[in-house]
Amino acid sequence: QFVRELSDLCREKKVVFSIDNYVPMYWMHYNHKEEGIFADYVVIMGYDEYTAGSAEAGPGSSIGFVEQGIIDTLASVPNNKVINGIPFYTRVWKTMPEGLQIDGNYGMTTIQEIIAKHNVTPTYLEELGLNYVAYQSDVDGNQYQMWIEDSTAVKNKMSLIQKYDLAGVACWKLGQQENADVWSVINSFF
């Protein structure tokens, strides 16, 4: 009911009304069909596949996870109202003798600095659509892992937006040290 009433007020004030949701597997209790009727856009937050609550390290936004989120959303919402949200951050996972934890969420520039500092070369994991790095720190002896959100990952996610003819892309979050080449990649799809 809130969404219905808010949509009326937004139209009256000529304000674009969008609803941001996690991928449907995380929000099945919402009425997606009604959101699609009353909102101008439904934004899928196509990230947080593995979080601090996860039992194991993993990507924040693998291509399969993103595509399944799109497919599930399109079951209830028309494609011309769906916007896919992509991350501009990478989680750095740290495995210590005490266990696993997230060492931080870092923007693209910082991730490139970490990679250079540890003199490691990313490996492209085609099945995930992401570059991956693992290394052991000379400083603390802990194991670190990163599934990297970079221009390669953005290109793969943009290709899904094109494949499903979605309304557009949203990015979390602007100004989070995204590399300049990311904008060229995004613009090449429009």
Side-chain angles (χ1 to χ4, degrees), residues 27-176:
W27 50 277
M28 295 304 286
H29 55 285
Y30 293 158
N31 189 330
H32 318 305
K33 184 176 180 181
E34 291 291 307
E35 288 180 345
I37 291 169
F38 291 99
D40 295 310
Y41 297 103
V42 174
V43 181
I44 309 165
M45 296 171 7
Y47 41 86
D48 286 343
E49 180 176 1
Y50 286 80
T51 66
S54 298
E56 60 187 24
S61 182
S62 71
I63 198 71
F65 176 82
V66 174
E67 186 163 25
Q68 191 60 56
I70 291 169
I71 291 168
D72 292 347
T73 301
L74 291 175
S76 303
V77 181
N79 65 328
N80 66 336
K81 288 191 168 197
V82 176
I83 294 175
N84 189 45
I86 61 175
F88 279 175
Y89 67 89
T90 294
R91 287 199 169 95
V92 177
W93 294 86
K94 176 168 68 171
T95 304
M96 311 166 293
E98 310 81 57
L100 177 69
Q101 74 178 40
I102 293 176
D103 192 53
N105 297 316
Y106 301 102
M108 294 175 182
T109 304
T110 301
I111 290 299
Q112 293 308 313
E113 291 168 359
I114 292 170
I115 290 169
K117 176 182 174 185
H118 293 283
N119 196 28
V120 290
T121 303
T123 302
Y124 183 64
L125 303 176
E126 187 171 345
E127 69 279 6
L128 300 179
L130 298 166
N131 285 304
Y132 171 78
V133 166
Y135 63 90
Q136 186 163 355
S137 172
D138 294 336
V139 177
D140 62 17
N142 294 317
Q143 179 76 22
Y144 291 82
Q145 294 175 280
M146 297 180 280
W147 286 264
I148 304 165
E149 296 296 336
D150 56 12
S151 58
T152 300
V154 169
K155 181 178 181 183
N156 290 333
K157 290 170 179 76
M158 290 302 299
S159 69
L160 290 177
I161 293 168
Q162 185 177 54
K163 175 179 177 180
Y164 291 98
D165 194 25
L166 302 184
V169 62
C171 307
W172 181 260
K173 72 180 182 170
L174 300 179
Q176 192 172 26

